[in-house]
C-alpha cells in the first residue's frame, strides 16, 4: 500500500482509474505548486496538503419547490435553455446578458449573468449544474431567478471520471471541497481523486501529538484529519471549515506549530548546555566607564533590560536574546552598554545592520557616544576599496579593532575575529533564523543580541524568534510628546504649506518624505528631487530647502544633515533615508507623500523622527483619491494609534503573514495549514505543551523521537554545535 512518502508518480498502481500519465501530470503540477525540482520529491503528503480553498455544503441541496424569496441556497438543476442576448439601458448603453433556464423535478428557475457572454461556452443544454446565491422571485418570469450565481457544472464530460454511483456520493449530497485549479486539473476531477486517495489512505506515519493535546481539544487523528479536511464530516459546524478552523484544520496546524516549537526549544536547550568560550564580569571600573559615556539618565525600562542582558552575558552559556522596543525607545543606548561591557572584558564586538545607510548612522552615533574612550571602532561598508577592506579585515583578525559596525553580509563573509565576544544585530525584519546563527556558531560562541527596529507581533516572535529570550523596552525616554497624525488630501495642500511656513517662522522644522523603492528608484528619486526644487523656487522662496537621498555621496549627505541639525535649513525633503537614526528634536512636522506605498511598520519608523522635542508635533499623510479603500483604512488606522505593538499586529493582520514575512529566504518557517494571524491561539497552545514536555526533566524515548521529527521538518531551526 502507499504511504505519505510514496511519490505521486507511483500512485497509478494503487489508485483505481488513475493512469500513469495522469499521475505523472499530477506530480508535475504539485512540483510547480510547492517548488520542487524533481518529480520524485512530490509525494502523497504534498497532495494531501493541497487543501480545498473553500467548501460547499451540498448535504442540503434544496428543491425548487422549497425556495422562498431572498433565500441563499444551492439548487441542482438541469439546463434547458442557454443563450446570450443584448439589452439597452436607459442611458443608451448596450449590455449583454447570458441567461439559462433550468428545472428540477419540482419546478423551473432562471439564472442570468451580466456581460459574461463567454459563459455560452460553459453551459450547455442537458447539463446538470449547481447554482448558488440569493434567489429572488421574478413576477415577470413567474419563477425564482438568480443574478450572477456561483455555479458548478456537475456532469462535465471528463474522461477521468467514472459516472454513476461515485458521482452521487462524492459530488453531491454532502459537504464538498472546492479546489483551486491545479494546472489542468479542475475541482471536480481533483475532488474525485482526493476522495479515492483519502479513503484508501491508511498509513499516515506515527502519532506524535501528545494524547493529552488531542483529548483536551478534541482533535482527530492524523488519518481522520486528512480525510475530514478534504471531505468535511457533519459533526463540526460547517462555518468552521469555511474559516479553516475545523478540528481537522486545527489538528494539522497544531502539528506544524508543535513541531516547530519542539525544534526551537530543543535548539535552545542544546545551546544552554554548551559552555561558551568567553567569560564576562562587571565591576565598578566598568560601571564607571559606562556612566562616563552615557549621554542621558537611562529610563527604568532601559535599566531593567540592560540588567537582563548583562546577567546573560555573565552566565557561562551564550546569550541569545531579542530586544524589542518601540521606535525611539532607546535601543541603541542599551546595545552600546552591552558592547562596552564586552570590550572592557577584552573582547571584540560586532554590530550588524541590514543596510549601508543604517551602518553609517550607527557608526556616527556610536563614535559620538564613545568619543572619550580609546576604543578602536571601524565601519565595514561597501564604500571601502577592496584594499581597505582587506586591511581592515587583517586588523580585525589581529585583534586591533574593538568594534566592527557593518552590514551582515560584509561582516560575516570572510571576516575572522581574534576574540569575538558579542554580536548585536539590528534586524529591521530582514533577517531570519538561518542567517542569524552564522556568526554565533563560530569561534567562542559569542553572546548574541538581536534588536528589532519596530515591535513585532507576538505570534511572529514565537515562531521566527522562538528560540530567543525576550527583553522588552516598553517605556519611551522622558519628554516625548504625543504626535498628532492626520490624513489629508490634495485640496488641502496649500493649507499644509501655510502651516509649514508658520512653524518655520516660529523656528521649527519639517520633513517631507517621499517613498523610494528599488523597482522604481529612478522615478522616485526624480519625484523627490523635483519636489525639492519646486518647493524652493515656487512655494517656500523665503525658506531654505534641503534634499537628502540615498544616492548622494556620504559627505554630501552629512553636509545636508548637518545643516538641518543646525537649523540652517527649515524643510528637509527626503527619501526614506531619514527612517532610522536621525534625531532632530526641533523638527515638528512630517509630511509623507504617497503614504500608501509604505508599510505600516515603516510609517511608524518614520513618524518616530518627530515628537522628540518639547513642541507639539504633527504627522500629515497625503491621501490620494486613487487609493483603494483598503489603503485608506490602513492610513486611518495608522493615524489613530501611536502604539507600535498595535500597529505591528495590524500590519500582520492586513497584509497577512505571507506578505509581511512569508518568504523562505527570510528563514521564517512556512506553514502549510497554520496561519499566524488566524491561528494565534493554537500556536500558543502548541508552544505551551511542547515546552512542558521538553522541560520535564526525564527525557523519554518519545521526546527524543519528537526532537528527531521536529528537526527533520524544520531543519533550519537545528542547532549546530561542534
Ligand atoms: P531606537 O530604540 O528606535 O533605536 P534610539 O536608540 O535611536 O531608539 O533612541 C531614540 C532617541 O532617544 C535618541 O535620540 C536617543 O539619544 C534618545 N534616548 C535614548 N535613551 C534616552 C534616555 N534614557 N533619555 C533621554 N533620551 C534618550
Ligand atoms: Mg534603532
Amino acid at each position: 500500500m502507499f504511504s505519505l512518502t510514496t511519490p505521486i508518480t507511483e500512485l497509478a498502481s494503487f489508485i483505481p482509474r488513475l493512469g500513469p500519465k495522469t499521475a505523472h501530470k499530477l506530480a508535475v503540477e504539485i512540483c510547480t505548486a510547492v517548488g520542487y525540482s524533481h518529480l520524485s520529491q512530490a509525494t502523497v503528503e504534498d497532495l494531501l496538503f493541497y487543501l480545498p480553498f473553500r467548501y460547499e455544503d451540498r448535504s442540503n441541496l434544496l428543491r425548487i419547490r422549497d425556495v422562498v424569496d431572498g433565500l441563499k441556497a444551492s439548487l441542482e438543476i438541469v439546463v434547458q435553455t442557454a443563450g446570450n442576448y443584448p439589452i439597452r439601458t436607459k442611458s443608451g448603453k448596450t449590455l449583454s446578458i447570458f441567461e439559462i433556464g433550468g428545472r428540477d423535478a419540482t419546478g423551473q428557475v432562471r439564472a442570468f449573468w451580466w456581460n459574461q457572454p463567454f459563459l455560452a461556452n460553459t453551459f450547455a443544454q442537458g447539463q446538470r449544474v449547481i447554482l448558488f446565491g440569493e434567489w429572488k422571485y421574478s413576477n415577470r418570469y413567474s419563477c425564482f431567478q438568480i443574478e450572477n450565481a456561483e455555479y458548478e457544472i456537475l456532469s462535465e464530460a471528463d474522461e477521468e471520471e467514472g459516472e454513476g454511483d461515485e458521482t452521487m456520493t462524492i459530488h453531491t449530497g454532502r459537504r464538498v471541497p472546492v479546489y483551486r485549479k491545479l494546472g489542468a486539473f479542475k475541482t471536480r476531477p481533483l475532488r474525485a481523486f482526493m476522495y479515492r486517495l483519502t479513503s484508501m489512505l491508511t498509513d499516515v506515519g506515527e502519532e506524535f501529538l501528545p494524547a493529552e493535546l488531542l483529548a483536551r481539544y478534541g482533535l482527530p487523528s492524523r488519518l481522520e484529519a486528512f480525510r475530514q479536511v478534504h471531505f468535511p464530516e457533519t459533526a463540526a459546524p460547517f462555518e468552521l471549515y469555511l474559516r479553516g478552523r475545523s478540528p481537522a484544520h486545527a489538528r494539522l496546524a497544531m502539528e506544524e506549530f508543535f513541531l516547530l516549537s519542539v525544534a526551537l526549544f530543543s535548539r535552545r536547550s542544546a545551546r544552554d548546555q554548551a559552555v561558551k568560550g568567553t567569560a564576562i564580569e562587571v565591576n565598578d571600573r566598568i560601571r564607571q566607564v559606562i556612566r562616563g559615556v552615557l549621554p542621558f539618565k537611562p529610563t527604568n525600562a532601559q535599566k531593567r533590560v540592560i540588567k537582563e542582558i548583562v546577567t546573560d552575558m555573565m552566565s557561562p552559556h551564550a546569550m541569545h536574546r531579542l530586544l524589542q522596543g518601540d521606535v525611539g525607545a532607546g535601543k541603541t543606548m542599551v546595545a552600546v552598554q552591552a558592547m562596552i561591557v564586552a570590550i572592557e572584558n577584552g573582547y571584540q564586538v560586532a554590530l550588524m545592520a541590514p543596510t549601508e545607510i543604517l551602518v553609517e548612522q550607527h557608526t556616527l552615533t556610536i563614535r559620538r557616544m564613545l568619543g572619550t574612550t580609546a576604543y578602536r571602532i571601524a565601519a565595514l561598508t561597501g564604500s571601502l576599496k577592496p584594499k581597505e577592506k582587506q586591511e581592515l579585515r587583517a586588523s580585525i583578525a589581529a585583534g586591533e579593532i574593538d568594534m566592527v559596525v557593518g552590514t551582515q553580509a560584509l561582516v560575516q563573509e570572510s571576516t575572522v575575529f581574534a576574540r569575538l565576544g558579542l554580536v548585536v544585530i539590528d534586524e529591521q525584519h530582514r533577517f531570519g533564523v538561518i542567517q542569524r546563527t552564522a556568526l554565533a556558531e563560530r569561534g567562542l560562541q559569542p553572546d548574541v543580541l538581536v534588536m528589532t527596529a519596530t515591535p513585532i507581533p507576538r505570534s511572529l516572535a514565537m515562531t521566527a524568534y522562538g528560540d530567543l529570550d525576550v527583553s522588552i523596552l516598553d517605556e519611551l525616554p522622558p519628554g516625548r510628546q504625543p504626535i498628532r497624525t492626520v490624513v489629508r488630501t490634495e485640496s488641502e495642500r496649500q493649507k499644509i504649506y501655510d502651516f509649514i511656513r508658520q512653524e518655520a517662522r516660529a523656528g521649527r522644522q519639517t520633513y517631507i518624505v517621499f517613498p523610494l523603492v528599488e523597482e522604481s528608484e529612478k522615478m522616485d528619486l526624480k519625484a523627490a528631487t523635483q519636489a525639492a526644487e519646486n518647493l524652493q523656487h515656487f512655494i517656500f522662496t523665503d525658506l531654505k530647502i534641503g534634499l537628502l537621498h540615498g544616492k548622494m555621496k556620504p559627505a554630501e549627505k552629512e553636509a545636508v544633515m548637518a545643516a538641518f541639525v543646525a537649523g540652517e535649513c527649515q524643510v528637509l525633503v527626503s527619501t526614506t533615508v531619514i527612517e532610522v537614526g536621525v534625531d532632530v528634536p526641533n523638527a515638528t512636522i512630517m509630511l509623507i507623500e504617497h503614504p500608501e506605498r509604505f508599510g505600516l511598520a515603516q510609517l511608524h519608523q518614520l513618524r518616530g523622527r518627530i515628537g522628540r522635542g518639547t513642541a507639539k508635533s504633527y504627522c500629515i499623510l497625503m491621501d490620494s483619491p486613487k487609493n483603494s479603500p483598503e489603503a485608506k483604512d490602513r492610513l486611518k488606522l495608522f493615524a489613530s494609534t501611536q502604539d507600535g505593538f498595535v500597529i505591528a499586529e495590524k500590519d500582520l493582520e492586513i497584509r497577512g503573514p505571507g506578505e509581511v514575512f512569508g518568504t523562505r529566504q527570510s528563514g521564517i518557517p512556512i506553514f502549510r495549514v497554520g496561519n499566524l494571524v488566524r491561528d494565534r491561539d493554537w500556536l500558543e497552545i502548541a508552544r505551551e505543551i511542547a515546552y512542558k514536555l521538553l522541560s520535564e526533566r526525564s527525557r523519554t524515548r518519545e521526546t527524543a523521537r519528537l526532537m528527531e521529527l521536529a528537526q527533520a521538518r524544520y531543519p533550519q531551526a537545528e542547532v549546530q554545535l561542534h
Side-chain angles (χ1 to χ4, degrees):
M1 215 355 128
F2 63 91
S3 73
L4 291 185
T5 52
T6 306
I8 299 172
T9 45
E10 289 169 24
L11 268 184
S13 28
F14 301 106
I15 309 272
R17 290 197 297 282
L18 178 73
K21 262 199 202 143
T22 312
H24 182 90
K25 269 192 235 157
L26 257 181
V28 170
E29 296 305 342
I30 287 287
C31 279
T32 313
V34 182
Y36 292 143
S37 46
H38 294 288
L39 271 195
S40 60
Q41 286 173 284
T43 62
V44 166
E45 182 168 23
D46 296 312
L47 267 177
L48 290 169
F49 276 110
Y50 194 76
L51 299 189
F53 81 108
R54 65 185 177 85
Y55 300 86
E56 271 174 25
D57 194 349
R58 295 188 187 157
S59 41
N60 299 309
L61 279 180
L62 229 50
R63 286 174 307 177
I64 293 175
R65 190 173 62 199
D66 302 324
V67 173
V68 293
D69 199 34
L71 187 72
K72 273 195 165 174
S74 301
L75 297 186
E76 184 185 331
I77 60 160
V78 176
V79 177
Q80 293 182 297
T81 57
N84 276 301
Y85 59 87
I87 62 159
R88 194 171 283 272
T89 64
K90 279 182 198 130
S91 56
K93 267 203 277 182
T94 308
L95 300 173
S96 88
I97 282 194
F98 176 74
E99 179 187 300
I100 63 174
R103 60 173 307 131
D104 71 5
T106 67
Q108 296 253 0
V109 289
R110 169 180 183 266
F112 61 98
W113 290 263
W114 293 97
N115 287 329
Q116 300 187 44
F118 47 84
L119 286 180
N121 305 325
T122 306
F123 290 92
Q125 232 177 39
Q127 263 174 345
R128 285 186 307 112
V129 303
I130 288 184
L131 299 175
F132 175 78
E134 187 176 346
W135 295 92
K136 293 252 176 66
Y137 191 74
S138 158
N139 287 319
R140 180 158 167 208
Y141 294 95
S142 307
C143 71
F144 284 101
Q145 63 176 15
I146 191 166
E147 188 177 336
N148 298 330
E150 285 185 50
Y151 59 86
E152 188 181 346
I153 314 295
L154 291 182
S155 47
E156 204 173 27
D158 176 8
E159 77 280 13
E160 282 292 323
E161 196 63 44
E163 283 301 325
D165 289 355
E166 195 184 54
T167 299
M168 288 312 292
T169 51
I170 300 178
H171 302 288
T172 53
R174 61 154 64 234
R175 295 169 170 189
V176 297
V178 180
Y179 299 93
R180 280 212 171 77
K181 228 174 124 190
L182 181 64
F185 295 94
K186 291 193 194 150
T187 217
R188 193 175 160 80
L190 271 177
R191 183 186 299 139
F193 170 72
M194 287 294 191
Y195 187 79
R196 278 178 250 140
L197 183 72
T198 52
S199 46
M200 293 180 70
L201 183 70
T202 50
D203 180 1
V204 290
E206 64 206 287
E207 176 60 82
F208 57 84
L209 283 184
E212 179 205 347
L213 178 69
L214 298 179
R216 178 141 37 114
Y217 298 97
L219 302 180
S221 70
R222 207 154 196 239
L223 180 60
E224 272 311 305
F226 279 130
R227 288 188 177 153
Q228 292 171 15
V229 84
H230 290 281
F231 293 90
E233 36 107 69
T234 40
F238 186 59
E239 170 260 351
L240 289 183
Y241 281 96
L242 293 179
R243 289 196 294 125
R245 296 277 298 174
S246 71
H249 286 95
R251 148 92 213 192
L252 296 175
M254 206 65 102
E255 281 185 8
E256 299 179 312
F257 293 152
F258 181 72
L259 281 189
L260 178 69
S261 302
V262 168
L264 291 169
F265 284 130
S266 54
R267 167 174 166 168
R268 223 163 110 162
S269 69
R271 237 166 28 200
D272 288 350
Q273 278 157 24
V275 173
K276 68 182 171 190
T278 61
I280 300 276
E281 60 164 43
V282 176
N283 53 31
D284 282 341
R285 185 184 58 79
I286 297 180
R287 285 192 198 96
Q288 199 61 45
V289 176
I290 292 177
R291 245 178 263 132
V293 301
L294 289 189
F296 331 91
K297 195 167 151 307
T299 62
N300 286 328
Q302 281 172 322
K303 278 191 216 156
R304 188 191 67 235
V305 164
I306 189 69
K307 205 161 150 195
E308 289 166 358
I309 292 171
V310 172
T311 306
D312 279 3
M313 291 173 73
M314 286 163 53
S315 104
H317 312 293
M319 164 169 76
H320 291 271
R321 188 168 281 278
L322 174 69
L323 173 56
Q324 278 217 64
D326 212 335
V327 183
K331 291 183 287 287
T332 316
M333 199 168 100
V334 171
V336 166
Q337 291 184 56
M339 291 194 284
I340 293 174
V341 169
I343 295 174
E344 289 296 328
N345 275 275
Y347 296 105
Q348 293 172 299
V349 303
L351 170 61
M352 301 191 286
T355 65
E356 292 270 328
I357 289 162
L358 255 166
V359 167
E360 281 164 29
Q361 273 159 1
H362 274 315
T363 314
L364 266 175
T365 319
I366 289 170
R367 282 221 170 101
R368 218 186 312 143
M369 222 185 278
L370 300 181
T372 57
T373 67
Y375 301 159
R376 294 153 301 182
I377 303 172
L380 192 53
T381 68
S383 56
L384 290 180
K385 298 199 181 75
K387 183 144 178 292
E388 293 172 322
K389 245 184 246 171
Q390 208 183 340
E391 280 168 12
L392 181 52
R393 288 212 166 102
S395 317
I396 296 170
E400 292 156 11
I401 301 288
D402 300 306
M403 182 189 300
V404 180
V405 187
T407 57
Q408 184 145 15
L410 271 180
V411 174
Q412 288 195 346
E413 137 213 329
S414 66
T415 306
V416 178
F417 289 83
R419 32 170 221 290
L420 182 62
L422 171 66
V423 178
V424 180
I425 307 177
D426 205 359
E427 275 228 332
Q428 265 219 325
H429 282 180
R430 292 199 199 178
F431 307 140
V433 185
I434 312 168
Q435 297 96 318
R436 200 161 66 220
T437 54
L439 250 193
E441 280 156 12
R442 278 202 217 153
L444 302 174
Q445 292 186 34
D447 292 316
V448 178
L449 179 66
V450 180
M451 307 196 290
T452 59
T454 49
I456 56 175
R458 186 174 151 75
S459 57
L460 187 76
M462 287 192 302
T463 48
Y465 300 90
D467 59 325
L468 305 182
D469 296 311
V470 180
S471 287
I472 296 192
L473 265 187
D474 48 6
E475 180 188 354
L476 294 183
R480 293 284 163 80
Q481 291 263 1
I483 298 164
R484 187 168 138 77
T485 304
V486 293
V487 181
R488 292 285 181 261
T489 53
E490 208 49 47
S491 62
E492 291 152 300
R493 188 174 282 280
Q494 206 47 54
K495 264 201 243 156
I496 296 168
Y497 286 156
D498 290 344
F499 181 53
I500 292 175
R501 189 173 297 110
Q502 182 190 318
E503 286 282 292
R505 292 212 174 110
R508 293 187 280 269
Q509 293 164 283
T510 296
Y511 294 108
I512 300 181
V513 185
F514 282 80
L516 186 140
V517 294
E518 261 168 53
E519 304 88 68
S520 54
E521 190 178 59
K522 267 204 185 125
M523 266 165 61
D524 287 346
L525 270 182
K526 205 167 142 205
T529 313
Q530 210 136 55
E533 276 172 20
N534 289 346
L535 289 169
Q536 182 70 81
H537 296 308
F538 304 112
I539 313 281
F540 298 124
T541 47
D542 48 336
L543 304 179
K544 187 142 184 340
I545 313 295
L547 172 66
L548 189 68
H549 60 72
K551 282 275 155 320
M552 291 163 60
K553 295 205 180 75
E556 290 173 339
K557 272 190 263 180
E558 256 167 64
V560 173
M561 251 349 275
F564 191 65
V565 172
E568 286 159 19
C569 83
Q570 296 81 26
V571 177
L572 183 64
V573 173
S574 164
T575 58
T576 26
V577 287
I578 57 156
E579 196 178 320
V580 216
V582 176
D583 188 27
V584 182
N586 195 44
T588 54
I589 303 178
M590 176 171 288
L591 169 60
I592 304 180
E593 303 283 354
H594 299 291
E596 75 282 355
R597 289 180 55 197
F598 295 91
L600 277 183
Q602 211 183 1
L603 284 175
H604 185 60
Q605 271 280 340
L606 280 168
R607 182 169 57 181
R609 300 300 113 202
I610 56 172
R612 291 167 166 248
T614 45
K616 176 123 189 100
S617 288
Y618 304 86
C619 178
I620 305 165
L621 307 173
M622 195 48 94
D623 189 12
S624 142
K626 281 192 220 141
N627 285 340
S628 67
E630 294 80 39
K632 285 180 193 294
D633 283 349
R634 239 161 39 95
L635 298 183
K636 245 187 260 161
L637 169 105
F638 178 72
S640 73
T641 179
Q642 226 179 303
D643 184 328
F645 282 91
V646 172
I647 289 171
E649 291 286 352
K650 276 290 165 195
D651 199 27
L652 180 59
E653 217 168 278
I654 293 170
R655 293 199 289 155
E659 224 181 288
V660 183
F661 321 99
T663 65
R664 264 173 212 277
Q665 284 79 355
S666 71
I668 292 152
I670 294 183
F671 303 116
R672 291 198 275 198
V673 184
N675 174 307
L676 286 184
V677 177
R678 184 188 63 198
D679 305 329
R680 272 176 286 205
D681 49 347
W682 294 342
L683 175 60
E684 300 259 4
I685 293 166
R687 191 173 153 86
E688 202 175 292
I689 293 190
Y691 182 72
K692 204 173 131 236
L693 210 75
L694 293 195
S695 57
E696 278 160 10
R697 229 174 302 143
S698 60
R699 285 284 164 81
T700 59
R701 202 183 305 146
E702 285 90 89
T703 48
R705 174 74 188 128
L706 207 50
M707 281 158 69
E708 243 176 71
L709 282 172
Q711 298 197 336
R713 176 79 174 81
Y714 295 103
Q716 70 267 52
E718 188 184 351
V719 67
Q720 278 170 3
L721 295 171
H722 29 256

